[in-house]
Amino acid sequence: MPHTLIIYDHPYEKSFNHAILETVIAALQNQGKKHALIDLHQDGFDPVFRKEELALYGKGETVDPLAEKYWQQIREADEILIICPVWWSSLPAMTKGFLDKVMKINFAYEPGATGPKGLLTHIQKATLITTSTTPNFVLKYLLGNPIKRVFINLVMKEIGIGKREWINFGNITHSKPAQREAFLQQIKTCFSA
């Protein structure tokens, strides 16, 4: 049975990101799809890559028990869904720290002649759902599409995930309730199939 791993990064339970999380979970449950949740804030995940962790970098080891727990959850998943805001045209520190500390050598990739060779090929799809104060067209066309260019097209590819998608609700600060509800319906439809 397909197994979706949700990685959630937002500190406020009344945020629109949390509404997205609840919508996704409800859609998966309604379909009887197996899922697990990593809530980085609730877990108290420390995103800082400290020197003790860096000393183990070449071996692909960790001193963080949460990273070991997350490795097991990733091994069991065939789909990954990340929900977080876009802050300063990038991913939040906790999401970035998750990548730094969890997506390690010998687990997520191995060095290749032209760069990383992904090892997470069992993950059939990765979806990033974000919210941003910046409108979509500004992120994509005026700011160089940093999320898609770096996170989707490079990082996710380098760890071996072939099918990758980014869905963003832009201009959230100036959005109307009907627009937010329409986006939640879009998300519900995406994860109800």
Side-chain angles (χ1 to χ4, degrees), residues 118-180:
L119 298 176
L120 299 182
T121 55
H122 69 284
I123 307 262
Q124 297 180 16
K125 182 179 181 185
T127 304
L128 172 65
I129 303 176
T130 57
T131 59
S132 65
T133 55
T134 304
N136 287 348
F137 77 92
V138 174
L139 270 175
K140 290 179 180 181
Y141 303 112
L142 301 180
L143 297 178
N145 213 354
I147 302 297
K148 186 169 185 181
R149 188 170 37 85
V150 175
F151 183 73
I152 299 295
N153 291 347
L154 290 177
V155 175
M156 291 292 102
K157 182 180 178 184
E158 288 178 337
I159 61 174
I161 301 172
K163 189 172 181 184
R164 307 171 302 272
E165 181 180 18
W166 174 41
I167 305 168
N168 184 58
F169 185 77
N171 205 22
I172 191 166
T173 309
H174 296 101
S175 65
K176 296 180 175 21
Q179 293 170 307
R180 293 190 292 275

Side-chain angles (χ1 to χ4, degrees), residues 80-98:
I80 289 182
L81 169 61
I82 301 171
I83 302 170
C84 66
V86 172
W87 287 342
W88 293 108
S89 300
S90 187
L91 301 178
M94 221 174 242
T95 304
K96 178 67 171 68
F98 178 88

